[in-house]
Amino acid sequence: MSLVYKDRMASKPEIRIPASMGAARPASGEADPAVAPSLALLAREAMVFANFMSGKLSVNRIAAQYAPGCDARPVMLVPGFLSSARSMFVLHQALERAGYPVTTWGLGRNLGAQSDTLDRLAANVASHGQRHGGPVTMIGWSLGGVFSRELAKRSPDLVREVLTLGTPFSGSPRANNAWRLYERVAGHPVDAPPIDTVLHEKPPVPTFAFWSRRDGVIAPACARGESGQRDRAIELDCGHLGFASKPSAVSAILAQLESTASV
């Protein structure tokens, strides 16, 4: 199932369910999923500051709409490549004010996959879950979503569900505008990380893929995935750097948590 969320400042996001379902394919006018987004889309990522300020000012309104009641499940946020916990500040605040016990991944700035990344992340997830009656809902942005999915495959007992935000888990690992920089910083080929993984394999827990056709970093089809690679694809109207701060995106994430409250 694919959902579309758009800005609704006075109400919850609009949901549109298309008539057809199935494998991810380019929509009319959408870029080829095998190639990175255009430079024009990449340039629009400069809107990140405006998204952040708008989200910061909207945190209380968003949180008030999606209070979890008795289902205050523990949540962990995992930042994207080259980002730290600060990059997810708006989403963190919204979740916290809505009543969720939320924490960050605890591994500092995300500089790419290392051989011990999942072991260290698992220890932090286990600790957070024990404090709050786990298992933990993982919300991973971009590369952080890859780590969240892989952890759920390795330790499904620790993870309740995975929400990925613009995460390239499907298609070519080079269908993005970040892979060259990734290889330089991480020190290994983007398609040969120091952890055993089959990226497109679905974790054995509920998995929700948030994606946007306005993403200027990751090819939309790679973040949307295909049927069988995730449980649901949810389309947002934001750039890659707006997934954790644009009000409509943050609202959509809280709405998804609300929808699985009894699961």
Side-chain angles (χ1 to χ4, degrees):
M1 179 178 292
S2 182
L3 307 180
V4 181
Y5 286 86
K6 297 188 177 181
D7 280 314
R8 291 283 178 179
M9 295 304 293
S11 62
K12 293 184 180 181
E14 175 184 343
I15 300 177
R16 185 173 78 242
I17 302 177
S20 61
M21 298 169 59
R25 296 180 181 178
S28 177
E30 184 178 318
D32 185 336
V35 300
S38 68
L39 292 179
L41 280 175
L42 181 61
R44 293 183 64 178
E45 296 294 340
M47 290 291 293
V48 60
F49 181 72
N51 288 331
F52 179 85
M53 291 306 298
S54 179
K56 187 176 180 180
L57 293 171
S58 302
V59 161
N60 288 333
R61 175 187 60 77
I62 294 169
Q65 294 184 75
Y66 300 104
C70 63
D71 181 43
R73 76 196 76 174
V75 177
M76 178 174 284
L77 303 180
V78 186
F81 178 54
L82 294 183
S83 298
S84 68
R86 289 180 176 272
S87 67
M88 303 183 81
F89 172 82
V90 172
L91 178 57
H92 190 291
Q93 289 289 300
L95 288 163
E96 192 172 68
R97 294 180 189 181
Y100 293 99
V102 58
T103 190
T104 60
W105 75 325
L107 302 184
R109 190 172 298 279
N110 187 341
L111 298 178
Q114 304 300 320
S115 60
D116 64 346
T117 297
L118 294 183
D119 291 333
R120 296 167 64 201
L121 181 58
N124 292 344
V125 171
S127 177
H128 189 49
Q130 288 168 3
R131 285 196 301 271
H132 300 284
V136 176
T137 289
M138 304 293 295
I139 302 179
W141 188 5
S142 199
L143 180 60
V146 171
F147 294 158
S148 298
R149 284 172 58 98
E150 294 308 310
L151 177 66
K153 296 174 193 178
R154 177 182 292 196
S155 304
D157 56 313
L158 298 179
V159 180
R160 171 171 173 160
E161 62 197 337
V162 176
L163 282 66
T164 58
L165 315 178
T167 292
F169 63 87
S170 183
S172 171
R174 291 183 170 81
N176 59 75
N177 285 315
W179 70 268
R180 293 179 180 83
L181 179 59
Y182 177 88
E183 292 189 343
R184 177 169 296 186
V185 173
H188 58 256
V190 70
D191 55 355
I195 56 177
D196 292 330
T197 177
V198 179
L199 287 181
H200 65 265
E201 269 188 4
K202 182 191 158 336
V205 300
T207 307
F208 308 98
F210 290 80
W211 66 283
S212 173
R213 66 187 71 234
R214 289 178 50 205
D215 195 321
V217 178
I218 305 298
C222 295
R224 180 177 57 214
E226 299 182 5
S227 178
Q229 297 176 351
R230 40 60 179 168
D231 290 293
R232 180 178 296 169
I234 303 163
E235 183 179 359
L236 301 182
D237 182 24
C238 65
H240 190 75
L241 299 182
F243 277 109
S245 59
K246 188 171 181 180
S248 60
V250 175
S251 291
I253 293 166
L254 268 68
Q256 177 59 48
L257 296 183
E258 182 181 72
S259 74
T260 58
S262 61
V263 175

